Amino acid sequence: MENQVIINPWSIIEEGFDPERICSAESLFSIGNGAVGQRANFEESYSGHSLQGSYLGGIYYPDKTRVGWWKNGYPEYFAKVLNAPNWIGIDIKINGQVLDLATVPVTRFRRELNMKEGWYERKFQVQCAGVELAVTALRFISYDNKELACIKYKIQLISGSGSLSISPYLDGGIVNADANWDERFWNTLSHTSNKNQAYLLSETKKTEFVVQVGMKNFITKNGEEVPVEWEKEESENKIGLSSTHQTKQGDEWVVYKFASNATSLNHDKEDLRQLHHTGLDALQIEDFAKLKEEQAQSWSNIWRTSDIQISGDDKAQQGIRFNIFQLNQTYSGEDARLNIGPKGFTGEKYGGSTYWDTEAYCLPFYMCTKGEEVARNLLLYRYNQLDKAIENAEKLGFSDGAALYPMVTMDGTECHNEWEITFEEIHRNGAIAFAIYNYQRFTGDTSYIKEYGIDVLIGIARFWVQRVNFSQEKQAYVMLGVTGPNEYENNVNNNWYTNYIAKWCIQFTNACLEKYKQEEPSLYSQILARNSFKDEERITWETVSSNFYFPKDEKLGIFLQQDGFLDKDLVPASEIPQGQRPINQYWSWDRILRSPYIKQGDVLQGFYFFEDHFSKEELEKHYKFYEPLTVHESSLSPCIHAVLATHLGMMDHAYELYLRTSRLDLDDYNKEIEEGCHITSMAGTWLSIVEGFGGMKMQNGHLHFYPSLPKQWESLHFKIQHRSRVLAVHINQHSTTIKLEEGSPLKVFVNNEERVVSQQTVLS
Amino acid sequence: MENQVIINPWSIIEEGFDPERICSAESLFSIGNGAVGQRANFEESYSGHSLQGSYLGGIYYPDKTRVGWWKNGYPEYFAKVLNAPNWIGIDIKINGQVLDLATVPVTRFRRELNMKEGWYERKFQVQCAGVELAVTALRFISYDNKELACIKYKIQLISGSGSLSISPYLDGGIVNADANWDERFWNTLSHTSNKNQAYLLSETKKTEFVVQVGMKNFITKNGEEVPVEWEKEESENKIGLSSTHQTKQGDEWVVYKFASNATSLNHDKEDLRQLHHTGLDALQIEDFAKLKEEQAQSWSNIWRTSDIQISGDDKAQQGIRFNIFQLNQTYSGEDARLNIGPKGFTGEKYGGSTYWDTEAYCLPFYMCTKGEEVARNLLLYRYNQLDKAIENAEKLGFSDGAALYPMVTMDGTECHNEWEITFEEIHRNGAIAFAIYNYQRFTGDTSYIKEYGIDVLIGIARFWVQRVNFSQEKQAYVMLGVTGPNEYENNVNNNWYTNYIAKWCIQFTNACLEKYKQEEPSLYSQILARNSFKDEERITWETVSSNFYFPKDEKLGIFLQQDGFLDKDLVPASEIPQGQRPINQYWSWDRILRSPYIKQGDVLQGFYFFEDHFSKEELEKHYKFYEPLTVHESSLSPCIHAVLATHLGMMDHAYELYLRTSRLDLDDYNKEIEEGCHITSMAGTWLSIVEGFGGMKMQNGHLHFYPSLPKQWESLHFKIQHRSRVLAVHINQHSTTIKLEEGSPLKVFVNNEERVVSQQTVLS
């Protein structure tokens, strides 16, 4: 029985049971609320291949680094996303036999992830111990009450009879699949039960986060609540409640399991030790429906400001909704301690919660769909970790407040341990600075930089100034030994992108400081004081930034990705022999490195960030030079090219890139969905629609749109939150309508024509 | 009680017991015979920090690779030097208490490694269970009978009395400290005992090498053999014999333990399963003295052709003798399956047995002190692994018989797993080709290349031709993405040394082929046929080799280590702040990489190999440019610089470099002697004397000497085997004498003056 994903604008639906696809579906059908997340593991036992995953935002474990060959400067620990205590488990036995889909014949199987209302449902039919059963398991993690989750597990006896055991449990005996030393990351502290409630208290090793999971269970039979004498089932790391009932053909049993996840991030540890969660006390069976309704309402609110509608292309529609849904499941924006892990709550892989993806790809999405405050929280996350970034730079030999933000982090310390990335992919610092600028540009809020952002900018500018050296040969400042966004080049000299963003960082920071010095001298003094900064430092900044070296071929009129790029054998990627793509699966690393092939836009990433610094002719020339060499083997690649291609009017090409980014996981392009979804690149999909096809840009303090749809689409509709307003943008092949849904009138530009958006403004 | 190494021209002597130095001394006092080796572990139990190490040449285990981040092309396994079954163990109990130097007061302690006669002795005095004991443990591994080893363990009762238990054993339950997955590498197959003999049969996992260790034991009391009823002590992986005796003050007990190590490399596995070693049968107590005398004779023969005498400088004398001794312990040259591991038989570290060290540093030593046949065996080792080198290149995407020899190997397959080394430090191929040329140049034997060497040369030349690409920009062939001998640069373009030796390989191979084509057409046809080689291939070779790119600064007149080298901040190493050397212990890897500092000669390694291609002025200019940037943090570095510095007349500097190379381990410059000795760099020490101070060179088919002593030395005396002769070269500050010790008269040159060496020729 093969399964298939069905195209549906609001749901991800899979029909058919295929043991080979269990792990993949576990990733795709994950649910979360920005604080708690859960892979689509089965409630009942499953002895087949599966990746168990319950995740709690901000709860991590520093796993001792394991490498083949140690290099000085490697971090000692890699902060892992933790598989947390299992709260979904409900063991089922029929006539004494464990219900386990790996061992019984499955006659029907269907999953649905309802993105509109935020729930996940699984239906299946099996033969087990002489009984034919139909099960419908629906669950959701409350978006509003971050600690609450609900499961409704319905069992119908189609034929047969006998005993039915129902055993909901909490299990702290979980492990991480990616543990470096095969260690457990948790200690179970205690557990207890009282009637239909049970609690389990766990603590992470080393970090000593305390987590209390709880459950409250009800059973109904044919619609009537069954009074249950729950039997306690205890072991070292697990607590369960169990009850057994006689049942016959036609019976319908429902288990309601309300679960709570409370952590020491938000609670006093002493309170957690009480092994009680008042949120569960009051809950009764009827609350399930009410909570489900509230959940639908929460998601309706999310969609109100973030939905994108594409007419005439259901695959594209489903793709973008899935991306928006997952982004909202991963990060809800209220808590500045949390961030957007590359796999969100859909897998363990990569560890850490924060990469440069957040600033370079995700910030615009959250800023435009969830608002300024959320964007500000993302910026504050880095501000709060500035001291760690300074420490990190010190470990690598920098001084005097130079800050190098980590490549991968959970709490501000570096986790990553590949020298060519950890020590060299330092352009991440640039994206963090750019996000601060981007926030101010879009929101018009100048207070953030003054109060917080400037400290981060100073740390970053100081880093760049120390990281370069003066080349006597070139009579300019050079930056040696870096890895650019294109990770298919390592340890190169003068990566154009890195040099460009470094120079920009220094100059932007310097310009802010100059402005404050002129306009707000007391603010300027405060900034100098709190950063132990001397005005003279800016003289060096000026010297360095105005004498930065940029590799360029004058004849071609092309900025070179790095020194020596033209020494390569510049054969277009289209000529790579059949069966050798993706090259990262077929070629040895050295062959990839000396090839001209680009994993993700590098010079073009710079053109994306700083498009206004260049003419359209320059963009076109560079796009036509670099695109044919780009193999897009990073999930973060096609989206940026899609934006640029749209701006160049290459619509078919842009559409092709869009599909690749938006359905990367749904269609499993890279054959790795088992490990989790590519959450951060989903924000890139949003960019390719809003900044690409929608052509949205901030220019001179105003929103501009340069719309341009692929021919496959009848229309495109998206919402933007901007300076206390909600704008609804509707684009079709002939016209663009922008409606003001909330807030006061606003001047915007469509194809450079000025329009004031009030109630409903039609702009052709 | 602190210990100290005593300067002695023929012995390494350490006095005093320092638990902190146990592991270091275990390395320094290692013994071996080129086939079997043993760290200086104690015979009796020792519960302190120690690195147990018994090693058998050619016996290895492919340990599953463990890396932080996998790269395509990494080998699946790393062949480890194996800690083999322990044959030295003799447990001693006094009045029921285990004799363990970690737990009893040690009142005297002395070790001696007698290099002249090839034995190791340890003397100590302790208080144990009310008894004062003096122990003298002497052992050696027979140089002539590769499977035999002998221990004489003498116990004197200085005071006290009681019971004495003596339990010699064989233990197969050993582990490797560097196991990637904490697995055991051995299975014990069986063991047995018969009277005073016992045997243990072990098999390596995966590789299924079978090893039979055996022992035969005798005990004397006050000079008389004691008839012993040995009690068997067995466990899964261990077999021991035990006997207990009453003893009193003044008694002198001696345990004689004869041990055998037989492996399936040299025996039929069935024979080994017999659990018997005829070599032990006939041995009696008296044989110990006889075998020890034979051992002294064997070493006397070794010293006859390899000793170096330095008058007026005992530290220098001890240093070079220790190096020559260890080189002979590591490799004796009869067996073309064995090679020279970087730690020899003194530690596990690095794994593998063969690095480019063999060809670049060790070959001249063995060729000049052990003779042509031994050098030929070293070359044959690589010839025999040519198929694997071709496979290795195929894995990386090369084809048509291109051969890439591994960076580290045991059986021809690559083991190493750092991409910047494994895939990029490909200059190793060049050294392997150069050794073939060097052998022919020195020995005059042209048959080796014709029969074997040419196949290796063709494979290597093919590799280089495929590894380069044509740069439109430079209109020349470039080699991108390599690591040169200076491993403080990774993934650079156009490493001058690699390009130079690559070009030389292609041209030398081509010249050989052209010569055979002209002079021996039938040989030429055979070579073409067996290598599936077409004459036309040589046209491409010619095109590539005559259009090779070499980075050079015309203004400075300096070949650049790699493209862009002059972009670095070229501050001499002498200005590195105090307390930051070695930089590899204090600086992060990225800082090292972008610094100008050179781990070991790179351009200068090329000048060393190809000195005759350059003028003395060029050598001087390059030496003065690169030496100040060289930090010599590779053990292979100072020796090459010492040779070049001598040639430039920089004698004080050369002497300083010599001391650094010759006493690297004795004085533990790098604080890592615990892990084992730097065996291969010891051959570099020999080079710095013979090619440096002795000024020996082959020029135009003749031996030349350009002697030049450091002022600290009164005289230098060394021997050279050359074309069926033994030459004794005696150099003092005023004159050079060369004596013909064996063979027929020979024309040599001293400072370019032609002389015929017959019996004794004095050359000023």
Side-chain angles (χ1 to χ4, degrees), chain A residues 346-365:
Chain A
T346 70
E348 301 169 3
K349 203 179 176 190
Y350 300 132
S353 66
T354 315
Y355 290 63
W356 72 296
D357 307 25
T358 293
E359 285 80 8
Y361 300 90
C362 300
L363 183 94
F365 168 81

Side-chain angles (χ1 to χ4, degrees), chain A residues 66 69 72 417 474 567 584, chain B residues 69 72 417 474 567 584:
Chain A
R66 183 151 204 165
W69 304 86
N72 270 357
N417 53 18
K474 297 197 160 75
D567 277 341
N584 70 24
Chain B
W69 304 87
N72 270 356
N417 53 17
K474 296 198 160 73
D567 277 341
N584 70 24

Side-chain angles (χ1 to χ4, degrees), chain A residues 589-619:
Chain A
W589 187 240
D590 60 308
R591 188 173 175 191
I592 290 174
L593 285 177
R594 63 181 187 273
S595 83
Y597 303 122
I598 299 170
K599 185 180 175 195
Q600 73 178 98
D602 195 293
V603 170
L604 293 179
Q605 180 76 35
F607 272 76
Y608 165 71
F609 276 158
F610 302 108
E611 196 173 339
D612 290 350
H613 296 192
F614 304 99
S615 70
K616 194 162 176 180
E617 290 65 39
E618 284 176 301
L619 171 61

Side-chain angles (χ1 to χ4, degrees), chain A residues 671-703:
Chain A
K671 306 289 168 219
E672 56 185 21
I673 179 69
E674 288 200 357
E675 300 162 343
C677 298
H678 296 83
I679 299 299
T680 50
S681 84
M682 293 178 176
T685 308
W686 183 90
L687 292 175
S688 68
I689 290 190
V690 174
E691 299 188 355
F693 305 128
M696 187 181 86
K697 277 184 196 177
M698 282 302 295
Q699 287 173 319
N700 305 313
H702 294 283
L703 263 188

Side-chain angles (χ1 to χ4, degrees), chain A residues 607-668:
Chain A
F607 272 76
Y608 165 71
F609 276 158
F610 302 108
E611 196 173 339
D612 290 350
H613 296 192
F614 304 99
S615 70
K616 194 162 176 180
E617 290 65 39
E618 284 176 301
L619 171 61
E620 185 163 13
K621 199 184 259 189
H622 284 79
Y623 194 86
K624 289 193 166 159
F625 183 79
Y626 285 110
E627 216 297 316
L629 299 171
T630 307
V631 290
H632 298 297
E633 294 181 9
S634 160
S635 65
L636 299 170
S637 185
C639 55
I640 299 301
H641 279 233
V643 172
L644 297 177
T646 312
H647 295 183
L648 292 170
M650 303 161 75
M651 299 311 295
D652 286 348
H653 173 60
Y655 179 68
E656 189 188 305
L657 291 163
Y658 165 77
L659 274 193
R660 188 160 168 168
T661 179
S662 73
R663 296 189 58 88
L664 174 69
D665 289 325
L666 286 177
D667 296 341
D668 199 8

